Structures are given as C-alpha cells and as structure tokens.
C-alpha cells in the first residue's frame, strides 16, 4: 500500500527567521503558517526542509545557513547543537536577556492580564545546577552517560557541562567508569544526581536490579566519591530501594535540615531556590498567621515560611511529604508545620477550606494549577503567592485569579535554567 504524502512534508524552502518561540526554536513563516526551526535566530536567512504540517504549522530542519542574524555568538559548550540540554547558547548575552525578559509580558498579554509591576528577571549563573538526570546507554564500546541528544532518544556522552556545578560534573567520569562494568550491553537507564550539602545522592533507574556484586561495587564507589546514598528503581514510578546509605543526604530549607527522598524534586540550584524563597517571603504579609503551602514538595518554601507563620504543607507525593514531616518533627516544628497528602488536581482545596488562611503559596508542576486556581479565585484569601516554572500556564491561572477579583501586584521572573527556554517566577496577588 502506498503511503499518502503528508501535507507539506519534505518540501525545501528559503526563509528568514523573525522571532524565537516559547521552546527556544526560531520561527519563520511559510504560506502565513509558522515554521519552527531549531538552533536558528531572528535575522537568519536559511534553506530548510519542512516536516509534515501539524497543528497549523511546520517543524523544519535547517539545511544551509545563507545569512546570519545580528545576534549570533559562539556557543561556549562543544556539545551545543547536539545535546538537548541547552537551546540558546548561540544567542548573545544581551539578546538572550531581552528574550527572557519578554516571555512574561507576552504570556500575560495573551491572557489579557495586567501586572502592577513586572520586574527584570534575576539571572542565575550557569555552573550552579546541583541536580541532574543523566541518561545511560551501555553499548559494546562502553557506556554513554549524559543528556539526551536534541529531539532523539540517543545519549550524548558528556565530556563537559557548563550548567552543572563543577563538583557535580566531576562525578560524571568516575560514575561512568563505575557503572560500565555493572550494566550489560544494550541496557538503557537513567541516573538522577543531587549534590546535597553533605555529599552526593544517586538514584539509578534500570530495568533490572543490581546484583550482589554490583551492590558491592556501588558501595565502594560511594565511599571513594563522597556519595552518601545510592538507590535503585526499575522506573520513575516505583518506590526506590536503597542500596547504599552511608548517611542521609541533607539540604537546609530556612533553618531546617531536610533529607529529600531518592530522586525527589528539589529546586535545581541553591541560588535559584534562594531567589524564589526571598520573593515568596517578600510577598508574605507581615501579619500573616496561617499559610497554606500547596504543591509543597519536601518543603523548600514550607520551612522558610514557618519562621513567620503556621504552615500547612499540602503535597501529592507521599515520599516528599514524609521527608518534610520527618524534618519538621526533628526540628521541633510539629505544630507550626502541619501536612496533608492530597491530589490538588482531583481534589483542590475548596474556597471554604481556605476561609481561615491569611496567605496561600502554590508551586505546581509545568502544567500549572488550573483547578486549584479556580477554587482560589472564589476564596476570601487576602494574599495568593504563585510560584511557577511556566509563564504560559501561570498566565492562564493568573487570569482565573484576576477574574475572581484578585489584583496581580507584581511578578518577579527568575532565570534558573540558563540557555534553556524555561523561566521561573514568583507573583503576588491581593484581593481588590
Ligand atoms: C514544582 S514542584 C515544587 C515543589 C516545592 N514547592 C519546591 O519548591 O521544592 C511541584 C510539586 O507538585 C507536586 N505535585 C504534582 N502534581 C500534584 C498533584 N496533582 N497534587 C499535589 N501535588 C502535586 C509534585 O510532587 C512536586 O512536589
């Protein structure tokens, strides 16, 4: 049977890039339809091959760069372009900052939301990421360990990475050497690394559990490389099994030491976390007595907030909440800190449940908190503080709050992912 040619696919065209899209690709137009071209910049003139039309636009692969736009610069990392970890190293610093700064007002404008004050982003420098997920691929010639290739499941065997702290990247080579003899050829997996304050925490995700010899080898590796804990899981969903625990990995939130669960969410950099916490505390009214911290994780905001008010931390992930609660009890904060495990998409906190709360902090995953924002919109809570890693879903949720009678007082963007399209932010809403 002959395959029907998909509309537009395979066609070669010349075009000029006019903008950068929300995922960091260059955007040009063909037949008045957008074309998304990776690794290109405004002003670039190029020949591309269009892929099939999808959702009213095209993706395209660049074939020849005929003329360079004015803001190109040399990418500092030799893996740039192949590695999927960074999208914008080829853009000069000032154009990069202009693009990041424009993301927030654009997203708000699309939703018709006006902010009292839109602040300049705080830029977190590269070389500060303390957490990373490396993909693993064991092949006949060795082990590839690094980020996925751009738009591919293949693994870039990283020789350098400018995003990570130097200490965290320095673990990559010994880790590669230690894992290579332990994984059979053909095996794929991931390893999640966290640089905690007292050493490294590793979660190995492979289809088969390590056998006894592998466990012994990992134990020796941990002792040599200041790795405090190694855990294993078959996939990202099952509960990880500890393999080596020399001591619990520790991070300090506010003044409280917390041991995050293996692979658990923490803010990617210490400096980014500090900027977000400072903005959340700035937004917290001085007289707030009761605060709800929604999507609390293991407490990056809960514990700094608990220095000022009683906090109820609500979180869907049992392991994260258990880590938060254990830390609260150990610090003598059971009382000022309370916890509730709850799915905030299926069962958002209702407006009536929020009646006695002076401030709500909510920090959902990328997709935002549509259901919770709608409940907040009908609540009497005087101050709502949003933390988000996605200006688009944030702007949608902000619109619900504004339609419910809130005023968006200010937005503080935090660029915690240098050279990537992501942007984090803290926003303060008050009842009008
Ligand atoms: C962006 S993280 C923020 C965590 C924490 N505030 C921090 O800064 O470390 C989002 C959190 O939302 C939690 N989460 C995701 N979906 C959820 C849901 N449906 N209900 C409750 N919590 C959820 C995740 O487990 C994760 O801890």
């Amino acid at each position: 049977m002959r395959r029907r040619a998909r509309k537009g696919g395979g066609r070669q065209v010349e075009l000029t890039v006019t903008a950068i899209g929300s995922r960091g690709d260059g955007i040009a137009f063909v037949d008045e339809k957008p074309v998304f071209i990776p690794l290109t910049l405004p002003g670039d003139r190029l020949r591309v091959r269009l892929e099939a039309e999808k959702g009213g636009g095209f993706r395209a692969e660049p074939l020849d760069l005929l003329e360079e736009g004015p803001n190109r610069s040399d990418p500092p990392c030799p893996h740039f372009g192949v590695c999927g970890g960074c999208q914008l190293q080829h853009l000069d610093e000032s154009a990069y900052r202009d693009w990041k700064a424009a993301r927030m007002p654009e997203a708000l404008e699309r939703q018709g939301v006006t902010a009292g004050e839109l602040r300049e982003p705080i830029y977190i420098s590269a070389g500060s990421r303390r957490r990373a997920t490396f993909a693993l691929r064991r092949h006949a010639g060795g082990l590839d360990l690094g980020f996925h290739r751009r738009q591919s499941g293949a693994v870039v065997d990283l020789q350098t990475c400018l995003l990570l702290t130097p200490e965290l990247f320095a673990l990559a080579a010994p880790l590669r050497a230690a894992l290579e003899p332990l994984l059979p050829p053909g095996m794929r997996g991931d390893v999640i690394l966290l640089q905690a304050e007292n050493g490294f925490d590793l979660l190995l995700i492979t289809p088969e559990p390590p056998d006894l010899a592998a466990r012994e080898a990992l134990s020796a590796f941990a002792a040599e490389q200041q790795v405090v804990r190694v855990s294993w899981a078959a996939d990202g969903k099952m509960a990880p099994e500890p393999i080596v625990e020399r001591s619990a990995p520790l991070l300090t939130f506010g003044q409280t030491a917390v041991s995050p669960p293996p692979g658990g969410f923490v803010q990617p950099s210490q400096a980014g976390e500090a900027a977000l916490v400072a903005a959340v505390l700035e937004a917290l009214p001085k007289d707030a007595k009761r605060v709800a911290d929604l999507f609390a994780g293991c407490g990056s905001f809960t514990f700094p907030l608990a220095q000022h008010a009683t906090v109820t931390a609500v979180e869907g992930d049992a392991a994260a909440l258990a880590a938060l609660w254990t830390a609260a009890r150990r610090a003598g904060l059971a009382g000022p800190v309370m916890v509730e495990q709850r799915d905030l998409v299926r069962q958002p906190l209702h407006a009536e449940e929020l009646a006695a709360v002076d401030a709500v902090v909510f920090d959902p995953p990328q997709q935002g908190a549509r259901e919770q924002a709608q409940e907040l919109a009908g609540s009497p809570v005087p101050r709502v503080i949003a933390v988000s890693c996605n200006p688009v879903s944030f702007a949608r949720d902000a619109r619900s709050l504004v339609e419910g009678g809130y005023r968006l007082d200010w937005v503080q963007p935090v660029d915690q992912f240098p050279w990537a399209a992501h942007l984090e932010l803290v926003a303060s809403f008050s009842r009008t």
Side-chain angles (χ1 to χ4, degrees):
M1 195 171 70
R2 274 176 61 200
R3 277 209 185 150
R4 202 148 54 100
R6 287 204 283 159
K7 213 174 151 193
R11 199 169 121 204
Q12 289 192 17
V13 288
E14 270 185 36
L15 34 72
T16 301
V17 174
T18 54
I20 302 174
S22 62
R23 293 184 183 175
D25 293 337
I27 303 182
F29 287 86
V30 159
D31 307 336
E32 296 180 14
K33 291 177 182 164
V35 183
F36 298 92
I37 316 148
L39 306 173
T40 62
L41 295 173
D44 286 351
R45 175 141 195 86
L46 55 148
R47 201 157 56 81
V48 303
R49 182 183 294 110
L50 298 182
E51 292 175 6
E53 185 177 345
K54 199 172 160 195
F58 299 92
R59 289 200 60 79
E61 272 304 311
L63 297 174
D64 291 317
L65 182 57
L66 307 171
E67 203 178 309
E68 283 193 0
N71 299 114
R72 276 197 171 261
S73 74
D74 287 335
C77 176
H79 294 297
F80 181 71
V82 176
C83 176
C86 292
Q87 287 80 50
L88 289 163
Q89 287 194 3
H90 56 330
L91 182 59
D92 71 40
E93 183 65 16
S94 114
Y96 169 80
R97 289 189 171 210
D98 288 349
W99 180 74
K100 278 267 159 118
R103 291 213 57 213
M104 202 58 252
E106 278 167 13
L108 287 174
E109 199 181 313
R110 264 186 231 121
Q111 292 291 341
V113 173
T114 310
E117 186 193 351
L118 249 173
R119 299 180 179 172
E120 274 297 300
I122 294 170
Y123 293 95
I124 305 301
S125 55
S128 61
R129 232 163 107 173
R130 63 181 172 190
R131 186 179 186 278
T133 301
F134 283 148
L136 306 168
R137 188 181 73 96
R138 178 73 165 88
H139 50 86
L143 174 70
D144 290 342
L145 177 147
F147 294 123
H148 285 288
R149 286 172 78 104
R150 190 173 60 81
Q151 291 176 6
S152 155
V155 180
V156 179
D157 193 36
L158 283 183
Q159 302 307 310
T160 182
C161 179
L162 305 176
L163 294 175
L164 307 185
T165 64
E167 301 82 20
L168 189 58
F169 187 71
L171 194 63
L175 182 61
R176 188 185 286 109
L179 290 179
E180 188 187 317
L182 308 183
L183 304 180
M187 187 179 268
R188 285 175 168 273
D190 292 290
V191 58
I192 302 179
L193 298 87
L194 170 68
Q195 182 180 0
E197 287 157 8
N198 55 338
F200 299 103
D201 184 27
L202 305 187
L203 171 60
L204 186 63
I205 302 175
T206 53
E208 297 298 329
D211 61 17
L212 188 60
R215 283 163 197 254
E216 283 171 6
L218 286 168
S219 180
F221 167 77
E224 272 162 29
Q225 299 293 335
Q226 294 187 348
V227 174
V228 288
R229 180 174 67 183
V230 183
S231 316
W232 169 81
D235 59 36
K237 289 183 194 125
M238 76 170 269
E241 174 191 314
I243 293 178
V244 181
E245 186 149 6
R246 300 169 60 234
S247 57
L250 294 174
L251 294 176
T252 308
F253 298 147
Q255 295 169 353
T256 305
V258 178
S259 179
F265 179 91
V266 298
Q267 294 293 339
S269 70
Q270 207 276 325
E273 180 191 301
L276 296 173
V277 167
V280 166
L281 293 181
E282 179 193 337
L284 186 72
K286 297 281 166 283
D287 56 356
K289 292 192 175 56
R290 274 158 299 188
V291 179
D293 179 15
L294 312 185
F295 305 92
C298 49
S300 323
F301 302 125
T302 311
F303 291 106
L305 288 164
Q307 292 174 254
H308 304 272
T310 297
V311 186
T312 302
V314 185
E315 162 63 42
D317 183 74
L321 203 62
L324 191 159
W325 182 234
T326 303
R329 281 202 337 262
R330 286 208 180 123
L333 290 170
V337 172
M338 288 164 276
V339 292
E340 180 178 347
Q341 188 186 351
R342 184 153 165 168
D343 183 329
L344 291 165
V345 173
R346 289 202 194 148
Q347 238 195 316
L349 285 180
H350 299 302
E352 309 83 68
E353 293 176 272
L354 293 163
V357 169
D358 301 312
V360 166
V361 177
F362 73 110
D363 179 19
Q366 282 240 4
Q367 61 268 31
R370 187 195 298 268
E371 298 76 8
Q372 188 58 70
Q374 283 165 358
E375 283 297 326
L376 280 165
S379 79
V381 177
R383 183 66 45 90
V384 172
I385 305 166
V387 184
S388 167
C389 59
N390 181 350
V392 174
S393 61
F394 161 73
R396 180 204 64 207
D397 295 346
R399 182 178 172 158
S400 296
L401 290 169
V402 169
E403 285 174 353
Y406 281 93
R407 186 178 55 225
L408 173 52
D409 294 320
W410 52 259
V411 184
Q412 174 64 70
V414 177
D415 183 19
Q416 208 182 170
F417 288 97
W419 299 315
H422 296 287
L423 184 65
E424 314 244 358
L425 64 106
V426 176
S428 181
F429 296 84
S430 51
R431 274 241 163 258
T432 48

